[in-house]
Amino acid sequence: MAEPVVRVPETKVALSTASVYPESTATAFEIAARLGYDGVEIMVWTDPVSQDIEALRRLSDYHQVPVLAIHAPCLLITQRVWSTDPWVKLQRARSAAERLGASAVVVHPPFRWQRQYVRDFVTGIWRMAGETDVRFAVENMYPWRYRDREMLAYAPDWDVTKDDYRHFTVDLSHTATARTDAMAMIDRMGDRLGHVHLADGKGSAKDEHLVPGRGTQPCAELLERLAANAYGGHVVIEVNTRRAMSAAEREADLAEALAFTRLHLARSGTPAPLDAKAPAASGGASASSGASASGGASASGSVPASGGASASGGASAARESRTPGASGARPS
């Protein structure tokens, strides 16, 4: 029997809870379940639920959506979340990952003014990585810019490939903001690329986190490279939906991102015979799939996403909430 023209990608696609902001962590689980994501990445921030391991476990069990990664509280707004000591934050992130069954902790390089943390960071990350099976994946960042001024806010460097880490996270919104070559960066990361934050950008000084396909970054090329190289980590959709005018618009964006990702992760198999009922289209997707040649949604928004999500949002946003009694507090 001939192999299928398009194989279902093995790489799991997760939804970052940051992608639903200003909605809550609890809402992210609900949306991930409805759209067919394989899991979630928890952005630990000011939402109390994101900091509460038992609340996260209940949400995961209720919605049948696993926690695949923990993003340690590294942002300016989370300087006091899980202690003011950055090493305590990472210890608690590791503990959360182990207790929830997540395989990765995402961590940013230190801010330059965290001098002691900077001095110990590279060796400290290696030490912590050696104490657990959880991957500590250090994420590329970018220079801060204002008009014609540039500030190097991260140390040892925003380009994490200049230092020696066991695992890396690549973020394509950050490569856009840094105005660096994303494919060259993942080449430097090599087999230490352990985690992907998929988003897009146009090179603005602001960290845009656009839906993949709406900017200038090589999102499709990256995904196809991952599939060809049998990438063993997760791909996390981390996009900005703050400007969505409704819950339905937010879900449509997140469904489009999922469809784009799964389409480009699907690897081409053996070509179908000429008399097959569904001849293959160039690029590995069938001509009847509803996908455009660029890999985005068709004009009708009908790109299917494995797991039940379509580019139009999959299910009505008006569907009655299934969220259990966990707090729905929002980031401040």
Side-chain angles (χ1 to χ4, degrees), residues 111-126:
F111 292 112
R112 188 167 291 276
W113 55 84
Q114 295 175 298
R115 295 181 181 177
Q116 185 60 50
Y117 186 36
V118 170
R119 280 194 291 270
D120 299 337
F121 185 68
V122 177
T123 56
I125 290 293
W126 270 101

PDB file of all heavy atoms in Angstrom, residues 111-126:
ATOM      1  N   PHE A 111      18.580  40.142  32.867  1.00  0.00           N
ATOM      2  CA  PHE A 111      18.736  41.565  32.577  1.00  0.00           C
ATOM      3  C   PHE A 111      20.138  41.987  33.006  1.00  0.00           C
ATOM      4  O   PHE A 111      20.694  41.473  33.990  1.00  0.00           O
ATOM      5  CB  PHE A 111      17.693  42.384  33.329  1.00  0.00           C
ATOM      6  CG  PHE A 111      16.285  42.162  32.835  1.00  0.00           C
ATOM      7  CD1 PHE A 111      15.343  41.532  33.634  1.00  0.00           C
ATOM      8  CD2 PHE A 111      15.897  42.584  31.563  1.00  0.00           C
ATOM      9  CE1 PHE A 111      14.049  41.320  33.192  1.00  0.00           C
ATOM     10  CE2 PHE A 111      14.609  42.376  31.102  1.00  0.00           C
ATOM     11  CZ  PHE A 111      13.685  41.751  31.915  1.00  0.00           C
ATOM     12  N   ARG A 112      20.691  42.929  32.292  1.00  0.00           N
ATOM     13  CA  ARG A 112      22.082  43.326  32.524  1.00  0.00           C
ATOM     14  C   ARG A 112      22.313  43.822  33.954  1.00  0.00           C
ATOM     15  O   ARG A 112      23.414  43.633  34.510  1.00  0.00           O
ATOM     16  CB  ARG A 112      22.469  44.407  31.503  1.00  0.00           C
ATOM     17  CG  ARG A 112      23.927  44.784  31.490  1.00  0.00           C
ATOM     18  CD  ARG A 112      24.272  45.611  30.265  1.00  0.00           C
ATOM     19  NE  ARG A 112      24.190  44.820  29.041  1.00  0.00           N
ATOM     20  CZ  ARG A 112      25.167  44.048  28.582  1.00  0.00           C
ATOM     21  NH1 ARG A 112      26.307  43.947  29.248  1.00  0.00           N
ATOM     22  NH2 ARG A 112      25.020  43.373  27.467  1.00  0.00           N
ATOM     23  N   TRP A 113      21.299  44.419  34.561  1.00  0.00           N
ATOM     24  CA  TRP A 113      21.476  44.961  35.908  1.00  0.00           C
ATOM     25  C   TRP A 113      21.424  43.871  36.998  1.00  0.00           C
ATOM     26  O   TRP A 113      21.710  44.146  38.147  1.00  0.00           O
ATOM     27  CB  TRP A 113      20.432  46.032  36.197  1.00  0.00           C
ATOM     28  CG  TRP A 113      19.014  45.606  36.006  1.00  0.00           C
ATOM     29  CD1 TRP A 113      18.212  44.941  36.885  1.00  0.00           C
ATOM     30  CD2 TRP A 113      18.232  45.826  34.834  1.00  0.00           C
ATOM     31  NE1 TRP A 113      16.975  44.729  36.351  1.00  0.00           N
ATOM     32  CE2 TRP A 113      16.957  45.269  35.086  1.00  0.00           C
ATOM     33  CE3 TRP A 113      18.461  46.443  33.603  1.00  0.00           C
ATOM     34  CZ2 TRP A 113      15.922  45.299  34.138  1.00  0.00           C
ATOM     35  CZ3 TRP A 113      17.433  46.475  32.665  1.00  0.00           C
ATOM     36  CH2 TRP A 113      16.182  45.915  32.930  1.00  0.00           C
ATOM     37  N   GLN A 114      21.102  42.620  36.639  1.00  0.00           N
ATOM     38  CA  GLN A 114      21.122  41.516  37.603  1.00  0.00           C
ATOM     39  C   GLN A 114      22.548  40.934  37.637  1.00  0.00           C
ATOM     40  O   GLN A 114      22.808  39.823  37.196  1.00  0.00           O
ATOM     41  CB  GLN A 114      20.102  40.446  37.194  1.00  0.00           C
ATOM     42  CG  GLN A 114      18.663  40.927  37.238  1.00  0.00           C
ATOM     43  CD  GLN A 114      17.689  39.873  36.713  1.00  0.00           C
ATOM     44  OE1 GLN A 114      17.756  39.481  35.554  1.00  0.00           O
ATOM     45  NE2 GLN A 114      16.787  39.411  37.571  1.00  0.00           N
ATOM     46  N   ARG A 115      23.471  41.680  38.184  1.00  0.00           N
ATOM     47  CA  ARG A 115      24.901  41.415  37.972  1.00  0.00           C
ATOM     48  C   ARG A 115      25.354  40.060  38.490  1.00  0.00           C
ATOM     49  O   ARG A 115      26.099  39.347  37.814  1.00  0.00           O
ATOM     50  CB  ARG A 115      25.721  42.553  38.587  1.00  0.00           C
ATOM     51  CG  ARG A 115      25.492  43.890  37.884  1.00  0.00           C
ATOM     52  CD  ARG A 115      26.314  44.998  38.488  1.00  0.00           C
ATOM     53  NE  ARG A 115      26.053  46.264  37.805  1.00  0.00           N
ATOM     54  CZ  ARG A 115      26.604  47.424  38.158  1.00  0.00           C
ATOM     55  NH1 ARG A 115      27.456  47.471  39.183  1.00  0.00           N
ATOM     56  NH2 ARG A 115      26.316  48.522  37.487  1.00  0.00           N
ATOM     57  N   GLN A 116      24.954  39.690  39.683  1.00  0.00           N
ATOM     58  CA  GLN A 116      25.389  38.393  40.208  1.00  0.00           C
ATOM     59  C   GLN A 116      24.777  37.252  39.405  1.00  0.00           C
ATOM     60  O   GLN A 116      25.438  36.249  39.108  1.00  0.00           O
ATOM     61  CB  GLN A 116      25.005  38.270  41.689  1.00  0.00           C
ATOM     62  CG  GLN A 116      25.527  36.997  42.357  1.00  0.00           C
ATOM     63  CD  GLN A 116      27.048  36.899  42.309  1.00  0.00           C
ATOM     64  OE1 GLN A 116      27.761  37.844  42.678  1.00  0.00           O
ATOM     65  NE2 GLN A 116      27.569  35.756  41.862  1.00  0.00           N
ATOM     66  N   TYR A 117      23.520  37.403  39.059  1.00  0.00           N
ATOM     67  CA  TYR A 117      22.820  36.400  38.240  1.00  0.00           C
ATOM     68  C   TYR A 117      23.523  36.247  36.895  1.00  0.00           C
ATOM     69  O   TYR A 117      23.720  35.131  36.402  1.00  0.00           O
ATOM     70  CB  TYR A 117      21.373  36.854  38.070  1.00  0.00           C
ATOM     71  CG  TYR A 117      20.432  35.889  37.382  1.00  0.00           C
ATOM     72  CD1 TYR A 117      20.518  34.511  37.556  1.00  0.00           C
ATOM     73  CD2 TYR A 117      19.410  36.386  36.569  1.00  0.00           C
ATOM     74  CE1 TYR A 117      19.624  33.646  36.940  1.00  0.00           C
ATOM     75  CE2 TYR A 117      18.508  35.536  35.947  1.00  0.00           C
ATOM     76  CZ  TYR A 117      18.615  34.174  36.132  1.00  0.00           C
ATOM     77  OH  TYR A 117      17.723  33.330  35.514  1.00  0.00           O
ATOM     78  N   VAL A 118      23.931  37.364  36.298  1.00  0.00           N
ATOM     79  CA  VAL A 118      24.647  37.323  35.014  1.00  0.00           C
ATOM     80  C   VAL A 118      25.951  36.538  35.153  1.00  0.00           C
ATOM     81  O   VAL A 118      26.275  35.682  34.318  1.00  0.00           O
ATOM     82  CB  VAL A 118      24.933  38.754  34.504  1.00  0.00           C
ATOM     83  CG1 VAL A 118      25.881  38.715  33.304  1.00  0.00           C
ATOM     84  CG2 VAL A 118      23.639  39.476  34.142  1.00  0.00           C
ATOM     85  N   ARG A 119      26.694  36.810  36.215  1.00  0.00           N
ATOM     86  CA  ARG A 119      28.006  36.168  36.392  1.00  0.00           C
ATOM     87  C   ARG A 119      27.879  34.649  36.478  1.00  0.00           C
ATOM     88  O   ARG A 119      28.737  33.911  35.988  1.00  0.00           O
ATOM     89  CB  ARG A 119      28.704  36.709  37.639  1.00  0.00           C
ATOM     90  CG  ARG A 119      29.383  38.055  37.438  1.00  0.00           C
ATOM     91  CD  ARG A 119      30.317  38.372  38.586  1.00  0.00           C
ATOM     92  NE  ARG A 119      29.599  38.631  39.822  1.00  0.00           N
ATOM     93  CZ  ARG A 119      29.179  39.838  40.205  1.00  0.00           C
ATOM     94  NH1 ARG A 119      29.420  40.900  39.440  1.00  0.00           N
ATOM     95  NH2 ARG A 119      28.534  40.000  41.342  1.00  0.00           N
ATOM     96  N   ASP A 120      26.810  34.191  37.120  1.00  0.00           N
ATOM     97  CA  ASP A 120      26.662  32.758  37.375  1.00  0.00           C
ATOM     98  C   ASP A 120      25.743  32.062  36.377  1.00  0.00           C
ATOM     99  O   ASP A 120      25.553  30.839  36.468  1.00  0.00           O
ATOM    100  CB  ASP A 120      26.087  32.538  38.782  1.00  0.00           C
ATOM    101  CG  ASP A 120      26.996  33.087  39.873  1.00  0.00           C
ATOM    102  OD1 ASP A 120      28.207  33.235  39.611  1.00  0.00           O
ATOM    103  OD2 ASP A 120      26.485  33.377  40.978  1.00  0.00           O
ATOM    104  N   PHE A 121      25.165  32.804  35.424  1.00  0.00           N
ATOM    105  CA  PHE A 121      24.037  32.271  34.662  1.00  0.00           C
ATOM    106  C   PHE A 121      24.410  31.042  33.830  1.00  0.00           C
ATOM    107  O   PHE A 121      23.752  30.000  33.910  1.00  0.00           O
ATOM    108  CB  PHE A 121      23.451  33.356  33.760  1.00  0.00           C
ATOM    109  CG  PHE A 121      22.214  32.917  33.022  1.00  0.00           C
ATOM    110  CD1 PHE A 121      21.030  32.677  33.708  1.00  0.00           C
ATOM    111  CD2 PHE A 121      22.223  32.743  31.647  1.00  0.00           C
ATOM    112  CE1 PHE A 121      19.886  32.271  33.046  1.00  0.00           C
ATOM    113  CE2 PHE A 121      21.078  32.344  30.964  1.00  0.00           C
ATOM    114  CZ  PHE A 121      19.910  32.103  31.668  1.00  0.00           C
ATOM    115  N   VAL A 122      25.441  31.128  33.028  1.00  0.00           N
ATOM    116  CA  VAL A 122      25.759  30.017  32.115  1.00  0.00           C
ATOM    117  C   VAL A 122      26.087  28.753  32.897  1.00  0.00           C
ATOM    118  O   VAL A 122      25.537  27.673  32.637  1.00  0.00           O
ATOM    119  CB  VAL A 122      26.910  30.404  31.157  1.00  0.00           C
ATOM    120  CG1 VAL A 122      27.281  29.213  30.275  1.00  0.00           C
ATOM    121  CG2 VAL A 122      26.512  31.594  30.295  1.00  0.00           C
ATOM    122  N   THR A 123      26.964  28.870  33.883  1.00  0.00           N
ATOM    123  CA  THR A 123      27.325  27.687  34.671  1.00  0.00           C
ATOM    124  C   THR A 123      26.142  27.206  35.514  1.00  0.00           C
ATOM    125  O   THR A 123      25.955  25.998  35.707  1.00  0.00           O
ATOM    126  CB  THR A 123      28.522  27.976  35.585  1.00  0.00           C
ATOM    127  OG1 THR A 123      28.226  29.116  36.424  1.00  0.00           O
ATOM    128  CG2 THR A 123      29.771  28.273  34.765  1.00  0.00           C
ATOM    129  N   GLY A 124      25.342  28.151  35.996  1.00  0.00           N
ATOM    130  CA  GLY A 124      24.186  27.781  36.806  1.00  0.00           C
ATOM    131  C   GLY A 124      23.127  27.031  36.014  1.00  0.00           C
ATOM    132  O   GLY A 124      22.521  26.071  36.513  1.00  0.00           O
ATOM    133  N   ILE A 125      22.899  27.443  34.773  1.00  0.00           N
ATOM    134  CA  ILE A 125      21.941  26.742  33.920  1.00  0.00           C
ATOM    135  C   ILE A 125      22.430  25.332  33.615  1.00  0.00           C
ATOM    136  O   ILE A 125      21.658  24.359  33.631  1.00  0.00           O
ATOM    137  CB  ILE A 125      21.691  27.532  32.617  1.00  0.00           C
ATOM    138  CG1 ILE A 125      20.895  28.805  32.916  1.00  0.00           C
ATOM    139  CG2 ILE A 125      20.947  26.678  31.593  1.00  0.00           C
ATOM    140  CD1 ILE A 125      19.479  28.573  33.390  1.00  0.00           C
ATOM    141  N   TRP A 126      23.733  25.184  33.357  1.00  0.00           N
ATOM    142  CA  TRP A 126      24.283  23.842  33.152  1.00  0.00           C
ATOM    143  C   TRP A 126      24.087  22.982  34.398  1.00  0.00           C
ATOM    144  O   TRP A 126      23.734  21.804  34.304  1.00  0.00           O
ATOM    145  CB  TRP A 126      25.764  23.934  32.805  1.00  0.00           C
ATOM    146  CG  TRP A 126      26.024  24.041  31.339  1.00  0.00           C
ATOM    147  CD1 TRP A 126      26.316  25.159  30.629  1.00  0.00           C
ATOM    148  CD2 TRP A 126      26.018  22.963  30.392  1.00  0.00           C
ATOM    149  NE1 TRP A 126      26.482  24.865  29.293  1.00  0.00           N
ATOM    150  CE2 TRP A 126      26.308  23.526  29.125  1.00  0.00           C
ATOM    151  CE3 TRP A 126      25.793  21.592  30.488  1.00  0.00           C
ATOM    152  CZ2 TRP A 126      26.378  22.751  27.970  1.00  0.00           C
ATOM    153  CZ3 TRP A 126      25.871  20.822  29.332  1.00  0.00           C
ATOM    154  CH2 TRP A 126      26.156  21.396  28.103  1.00  0.00           C
TER     155      TRP A 126
END
